[in-house]
Amino acid sequence: MSDLTFHRCLLYKNENLVSKTDCDKIDSYSKGLEKHIFKYRNMPHEIYTTLDEANHCLWIYLKSGSSLPYDDTVIDVETNEKTANPRQITQVELRHQYFTLYDYDKSALYLSTLKTIGILENFFKKAIGDEDITIKKILKDFNDVLKTLKSIKSIRLVAKNGLFTQTNNLFQDVADAFGLGIPGQYKIDVDFGYASLTEHAIGKLREINQKRLGGEIDSFVCIGRDDTGLDGVFNMDTFTNSLKVKADHDEKGMYQDLEVKQKLIEQLGIINV
């Protein structure tokens, strides 16, 4: 038995989180692929999807391999006998296994390796029919975020009506703007278009983070870009950015994908029993 580490990410389409309707398209597209083969960078990948509505998730099982490097001979591990390689140089053993689960109810994407981000983005773009599909990593520690982020794309704050919102100008300015009384919840979305992160902004972000930790703000999501040009997401609602699942290999050293799926949804606590 060995550990599989799943990394939690967010899956966006045009800055909106991918929906159940999009998952239907992904599942339909996958089942329409000839022999389940999806080509990425001219290499064949075998891909299977399962839309599990009972557990509000889309499961993706991906197998890949490479024809190179190639050796003309192989050695029998039992007899040490060297013989001609039975595999042709044009053939590929799909012995690398990757697993992905998208919980469309909680808008959380779990990847068994971050190496599959490129192929999955390409696969989702073709399946959904939209070029603006991105997978964004979630950063766990706020101090790590401040060390890596160079600019801020957007910030989202959510707070329930309470003493803090009743006395804070940030929320009170819009409290009764429509003459409908005090709302039960406030949600603020601001888009800065990747404004440079200043020392003053860092101080304000730390202040907001402390208010979230103190329970004054219910949700704080920050999207920014690091100095390599990659986006990252800091989400205070995320209890962790990765988790481990224990699974067994079969006699050929391969995982059983449905067993991995079952272990993962049990670990996440989303299983419908």
Side-chain angles (χ1 to χ4, degrees), residues 1-2 4 246-250 253-256 259-260 263:
M1 186 170 288
S2 59
L4 279 169
K246 290 188 178 296
D248 290 314
H249 291 104
D250 62 19
M254 302 287 281
Y255 291 109
Q256 296 298 309
E259 178 192 357
V260 175
K263 293 287 184 67

Side-chain angles (χ1 to χ4, degrees), residues 87-266:
R87 177 173 71 86
Q88 300 299 311
I89 197 170
T90 57
Q91 296 175 321
V92 177
E93 287 183 81
L94 303 180
R95 52 192 177 85
H96 298 297
Q97 298 175 284
Y98 306 111
F99 308 99
T100 301
L101 183 142
Y102 183 59
D103 180 349
Y104 53 77
D105 188 43
K106 295 181 180 178
S107 302
L109 181 71
Y110 298 91
L111 309 178
S112 65
T113 174
L114 296 174
K115 293 192 301 182
T116 56
I117 286 180
I119 180 175
L120 287 173
E121 283 185 340
N122 188 269
F123 174 68
F124 292 149
K125 287 175 182 179
K126 294 185 182 302
I128 297 175
D130 194 310
E131 284 298 311
D132 195 5
I133 304 289
T134 54
I135 295 173
K136 298 180 180 180
K137 295 180 291 183
I138 294 178
L139 304 174
K140 182 181 178 182
D141 185 81
F142 191 60
N143 289 323
D144 290 342
V145 175
L146 295 180
K147 291 176 185 177
T148 59
L149 293 186
K150 299 301 180 183
S151 61
I152 296 295
K153 168 67 170 67
S154 63
I155 292 174
R156 168 177 289 185
L157 300 176
V158 177
K160 295 183 178 69
N161 183 30
L163 181 62
F164 170 70
T165 55
Q166 292 172 8
T167 58
N168 191 290
N169 290 334
L170 184 66
F171 298 97
Q172 277 302 298
D173 289 344
V174 295
D176 199 18
F178 299 98
L180 299 172
I182 303 299
Q185 183 186 75
Y186 298 87
K187 182 183 292 184
I188 297 176
D189 281 291
V190 286
D191 193 315
F192 298 102
Y194 297 107
S196 297
L197 193 60
T198 63
E199 288 299 321
H200 179 71
I202 289 174
K204 288 296 183 181
L205 289 173
R206 283 202 173 103
E207 181 181 323
I208 293 173
N209 186 47
Q210 287 303 312
K211 293 184 184 302
R212 171 64 181 86
L213 292 172
E216 297 177 23
I217 293 175
D218 297 293
S219 179
F220 169 31
V221 178
C222 175
I223 299 176
R225 181 167 288 174
D226 63 21
D227 53 7
T228 67
L230 294 177
D231 280 358
V233 177
F234 173 69
N235 187 348
M236 273 299 299
D237 298 328
T238 305
F239 66 93
T240 182
N241 61 351
S242 65
L243 56 90
K244 292 185 183 295
V245 170
K246 290 188 178 296
D248 290 314
H249 291 104
D250 62 19
E251 67 279 3
K252 295 180 180 178
M254 302 287 281
Y255 291 109
Q256 296 298 309
D257 74 293
L258 293 182
E259 178 192 357
V260 175
K261 176 200 170 189
Q262 187 76 6
K263 293 287 184 67
L264 178 58
I265 61 177
E266 287 175 357

Side-chain angles (χ1 to χ4, degrees), residues 58-72:
L58 176 70
W59 175 252
I60 301 173
Y61 173 39
L62 177 69
K63 297 171 68 178
S64 70
S66 177
S67 60
L68 301 174
Y70 178 87
D71 196 291
D72 292 325

